[in-house]
Amino acid sequence: MTDKETQNPADLDLHKLEIRVEELIRACSYLKDENKSLRATQDNLVAERAALIEKTELARARVEAMITRLKSMETPQ
C-alpha cells in the first residue's frame, strides 16, 4: 500500500489545502513584486511627463516671444 492509500480522506483534503495555500502565497508574492515594479515604472513615467510638459511650456514661451518680436518688426515705425 502507498502512503496515499493509508491516509484518511481528511488528511488528503488537508494536504490539498496546504498545497493550495502555498500556491496562493507564491502568487501573492509574485503579484506584490510585480505591483512594486509597476509603481516604480509609473513614478518614472510621471516624472518624465512632468519634465516634458515643462520643456513644452518653455518652448511655447520662446516661440511666443519670437512671434511678438517678429510682429514688432513688421509694424512701421
Side-chain angles (χ1 to χ4, degrees):
M1 288 187 144
T2 65
D3 285 341
K4 288 187 179 182
E5 291 173 352
T6 60
Q7 292 178 339
N8 65 38
D11 288 341
L12 291 175
D13 288 342
L14 183 59
H15 181 69
K16 287 179 185 177
L17 181 60
E18 287 174 348
I19 291 171
R20 184 67 181 135
V21 168
E22 289 172 3
E23 290 172 352
L24 289 172
I25 289 170
R26 281 193 298 274
C28 184
S29 178
Y30 171 79
L31 291 173
K32 188 176 181 180
D33 291 343
E34 184 179 29
N35 190 34
K36 185 177 180 181
S37 174
L38 289 172
R39 287 185 189 273
T41 300
Q42 181 183 18
D43 290 344
N44 290 337
L45 290 173
V46 167
E48 183 180 347
R49 181 178 183 271
L52 290 172
I53 288 172
E54 186 177 337
K55 278 184 165 182
T56 301
E57 290 301 318
L58 180 60
R60 183 187 324 266
R62 291 176 70 190
V63 169
E64 287 175 359
M66 284 187 237
I67 291 170
T68 302
R69 285 195 303 264
L70 289 171
K71 283 184 179 179
S72 70
M73 293 176 157
E74 287 179 353
T75 55
Q77 296 175 346

